[in-house]
Amino acid sequence: VWTTAGSSALQSFTHSDGIKDNVSETQTSVLTLTEGEIGTLSSEGATSTFTCQITSGITSSVVHTATQAMNFFTPTITVSASSANVYSVDTHTITCTVRNAPTKLTVTWISSSTVQ
């Protein structure tokens, strides 16, 4: 059973419990979160804690748990300077830096001119 603390929007997740490996005596449960689920969780707070709970035992139940905290990062973006005086005969470079950049990132430069 996988649960997360404090999430009202997501109560069940897609997971695979796997098959017991009799050689290594292990069984792995894998929890996969979609981009939409991560977006929902990140809107609820900066951190979400996931708990995997396994119940074992033949004559009496023994509960085992393990947790993992997931920290959500919000990208920030800065440019080298908010404005610059540039001559039309010079070369000028503008840098744009993204911190906490996600794996999927598209950069678009948009130019707008103001005549003074």
Side-chain angles (χ1 to χ4, degrees):
V1 177
W2 282 94
T3 59
T4 183
S7 176
S8 58
L10 300 172
Q11 295 302 319
S12 63
F13 303 95
T14 302
H15 70 279
S16 169
D17 287 332
I19 298 171
K20 182 180 177 190
D21 183 329
N22 291 323
V23 175
S24 65
E25 293 293 318
T26 61
Q27 182 174 339
T28 303
S29 177
V30 177
L31 173 67
T32 303
L33 298 173
T34 66
E35 184 177 330
E37 289 169 331
I38 292 172
T40 299
L41 290 168
S42 67
S43 70
E44 294 179 356
T47 303
S48 190
T49 302
F50 289 86
T51 302
C52 176
Q53 177 179 309
I54 298 170
T55 304
S56 65
I58 297 173
T59 57
S60 63
S61 295
V62 179
V63 176
H64 308 273
T65 60
T67 61
Q68 181 185 56
M70 184 182 292
N71 299 311
F72 301 104
F73 293 103
T74 302
T76 58
I77 186 168
T78 57
V79 291
S80 51
S82 60
S83 66
N85 296 322
V86 180
Y87 291 102
S88 61
V89 294
D90 289 342
T91 299
H92 181 69
T93 302
I94 305 170
T95 59
C96 179
T97 305
V98 179
R99 302 222 187 297
N100 295 324
T103 304
K104 297 177 185 177
L105 180 68
T106 302
V107 177
T108 305
W109 286 90
I110 300 169
S111 173
S112 62
S113 297
T114 304
V115 179
Q116 295 181 355

